[in-house]
Amino acid sequence: MRYFDYLTKEQETSLFYSPPVSFNQYTAKDLLAYAVGAALYMPATRSSVAEDILKLRASGLVTVIIDLEDAIGDGEVCFAEESVIRHLSFLSAYAENEPDPLNSLPLIFIRVRNPVQLQQLIFRLGPLVTMLTGFVFPKFTAENGADFFEAIADYNSSRSYNAPVLYGMPILESAPIIYRESRPGSLLAIRDLLDDYRDYVLNVRIGATDFSSLFGLRRSPEISIYELAPVRDCISEILNIFGRVEEGYVISGPVWEYFGNKGRRSLLPPLRQLPFEEPFGRQTREVSRVSSAVDGLIREVKLDKENGIVGKTIIHPSQLRPVQAMYSVMHEEYVDALSIIESNDGSRGVFKSEYFNKMNEIKPHLNWAKRILQRSQVYGVLHEEQHFTYLLPENEYTHV
């Protein structure tokens, strides 16, 4: 499986200086954590989940999360669990008939409600559990977290030698995390817990919808989550504790809940000045028609990236390509990062960028460079004259 594998060979060659690498469930955790990317939620009760996964896989779906929690009603739990087994059985039969089974399906996760459901589902799935890359743990706290990860650890300790590792992705979204008086203790306790199960923690995810709900807030499509003060402050502390380079985790950004092409573009000037501007005044691919929902999504992903976040929860297929495209690495970023890594031999401390527009300081920028190179493996490096907007659908973006 690779990002942007729907491109023809000619398109890939013209767009990418260094194309994305392939990966699957067996890929090393450090790289796989970056590969989760735009994770599409699907309610388990939807009858067409398996068919939709196959259809969207052909057009770029890489990660799907089948939801047994908030997306279904409390009275639908038993039906939803049975549906998960049907969906995975269908997908398993499909993959068995494919020439390359490992690359025929996206990374599949299930969001469970609680540790008891997790344990029961692992048992009920039997061999089908190897279809999964992992489980997602909502409302994760230090109090319930050990039970979630102990179930994962128990499975991994007894799995077949040729079965992939099963991972967990906790969602930080509970009241003790965002309430100021309990936040430091809650986050530090969760960090200590995750450190005990580090081998099985693939991502740390931020659940900003639940955070916002506790204050009666809901951001509009024109507003970034970073502009909601209580949520912004909480995200800042999550990044501080879990995003440190040496002992941190890959952190995935909050869900973007708006989609569709209706609505005026209220951020036309900022959008053209931020993600769509081309370096050195070269002509760029500009937006012919974009809804405020896509405007807001692109703006927020840009802010996610600037804060060290990789990946995002999404709820509609139209959000896939904008998020994926924005994580591709620009040629300038790649050249700077590679030069910093290669110059880290003690012979000098600072040098001029090959683009002649900045100074690269080796020690302060070294960790940034390492992260850029990791991202470049998964999402590829664009040619100097290319821009992420060229990876977006033609019916949304055109040349000017």
Side-chain angles (χ1 to χ4, degrees):
M1 179 165 28
R2 288 196 314 152
Y3 274 98
F4 317 117
D5 61 0
Y6 50 82
L7 297 171
T8 66
K9 188 62 178 177
E10 292 74 16
Q11 288 173 323
E12 181 182 280
T13 301
S14 68
L15 286 168
F16 284 98
Y17 172 82
S18 176
V21 301
S22 298
F23 59 89
N24 56 44
Q25 291 169 282
Y26 292 88
T27 297
K29 182 174 79 76
D30 288 349
L31 196 64
L32 193 61
Y34 277 76
V36 174
L40 177 65
Y41 269 61
M42 290 185 177
T45 50
R46 185 189 299 171
S47 60
S48 61
V49 163
E51 292 85 353
D52 290 344
I53 287 174
L54 296 181
K55 180 174 67 175
L56 291 170
R57 175 70 194 96
S59 58
L61 177 66
V62 168
T63 302
V64 63
I65 299 175
I66 302 175
D67 193 7
L68 290 170
E69 202 224 1
D70 284 347
I72 66 170
D74 292 340
E76 299 179 292
V77 175
C78 290
F79 173 68
E81 292 175 347
E82 293 295 333
S83 297
V84 165
I85 296 173
R86 287 196 301 273
H87 300 324
L88 293 180
S89 297
F90 181 95
L91 293 170
S92 177
Y94 168 83
E96 286 176 1
N97 293 317
E98 287 293 295
D100 187 5
L102 275 178
N103 293 313
S104 62
L105 296 173
L107 305 176
I108 302 174
F109 297 84
I110 297 174
R111 179 163 77 160
V112 292
R113 291 185 158 219
N114 51 58
V116 172
Q117 185 183 51
L118 170 63
Q119 294 167 348
Q120 294 173 344
L121 201 54
I122 290 175
F123 177 79
R124 291 180 64 189
L125 286 174
L128 287 174
V129 77
T130 61
M131 300 281 295
L132 302 177
T133 303
F135 288 87
V136 179
F137 308 143
K139 316 294 190 292
F140 190 89
T141 65
E143 289 69 37
N144 64 25
D147 291 337
F148 278 122
F149 273 104
E150 198 57 36
I152 294 292
D154 286 346
Y155 167 81
N156 283 315
S157 65
S158 61
R159 76 182 192 279
S160 169
Y161 76 94
N162 61 346
V165 174
L166 195 65
Y167 294 104
M169 298 198 297
I171 308 178
L172 306 186
E173 57 184 348
S174 62
I177 293 172
I178 195 167
Y179 288 162
R180 184 64 188 88
E181 65 273 18
S182 53
R183 185 186 306 157
S186 295
L187 290 178
L188 291 172
I190 291 171
R191 185 192 64 184
D192 292 344
L193 172 65
L194 294 186
D195 287 348
D196 290 339
Y197 296 95
R198 179 176 290 274
D199 288 346
Y200 306 135
V201 182
L202 191 58
N203 272 187
V204 173
R205 310 188 72 82
I206 299 174
T209 301
D210 280 37
F211 284 156
S212 300
S213 172
L214 292 167
F215 297 88
L217 304 176
R218 183 179 188 179
R219 71 187 184 278
S220 69
E222 294 85 12
I223 297 296
S224 158
I225 196 66
Y226 298 95
E227 294 170 270
L228 299 187
V231 183
R232 176 200 62 217
D233 292 347
C234 184
I235 291 175
S236 175
E237 295 202 30
I238 290 172
L239 289 168
N240 192 306
I241 290 176
F242 296 96
R244 301 174 190 180
V245 172
E246 294 302 325
E247 68 271 21
Y249 299 87
V250 172
I251 301 174
S252 181
V255 65
W256 182 261
E257 60 190 26
Y258 294 97
F259 58 89
N261 290 320
K262 295 181 179 179
R264 298 178 59 190
R265 293 193 62 211
S266 62
L267 294 176
L268 178 59
L271 183 58
R272 283 184 176 168
Q273 291 167 11
L274 290 174
F276 288 93
E277 74 178 354
E278 192 80 13
F280 313 123
R282 288 191 295 269
Q283 187 181 36
T284 186
R285 192 181 199 189
E286 194 148 353
V287 181
S288 59
R289 60 177 182 85
V290 174
S291 68
S292 59
V294 177
D295 256 1
L297 172 61
I298 290 175
R299 180 168 179 258
E300 186 163 291
V301 173
K302 182 175 177 65
L303 291 169
D304 287 341
K305 285 171 53 183
E306 292 295 323
N307 283 284
I309 286 174
V310 179
K312 199 163 190 67
T313 298
I314 61 173
I315 46 81
H316 194 272
S318 64
Q319 300 170 339
L320 278 171
R321 292 197 186 180
V323 175
Q324 293 173 347
M326 287 201 68
Y327 279 104
S328 60
V329 173
M330 301 293 285
H331 184 264
E332 180 176 345
E333 293 177 297
Y334 179 75
V335 168
D336 283 339
L338 194 62
S339 297
I340 290 166
I341 298 293
E342 292 176 345
S343 299
N344 185 34
D345 57 5
S347 61
R348 55 179 175 169
V350 65
F351 61 94
K352 187 184 298 183
S353 165
E354 291 184 26
Y355 272 66
F356 299 102
N357 61 354
K358 70 180 77 65
M359 297 304 294
N360 289 325
E361 294 187 74
I362 295 171
K363 289 182 179 179
H365 294 142
L366 185 60
N367 288 330
W368 169 86
K370 291 176 180 178
R371 287 186 169 185
I372 289 293
L373 293 187
Q374 282 186 294
R375 207 177 88 215
S376 73
Q377 292 184 67
V378 176
Y379 299 95
V381 181
L382 296 170
H383 279 300
E384 180 179 356
E385 68 276 12
Q386 300 293 358
H387 193 273
F388 82 85
T389 54
Y390 287 88
L391 293 167
L392 299 173
E394 287 289 347
N395 65 346
E396 289 287 345
Y397 302 88
T398 60
H399 288 285
V400 294

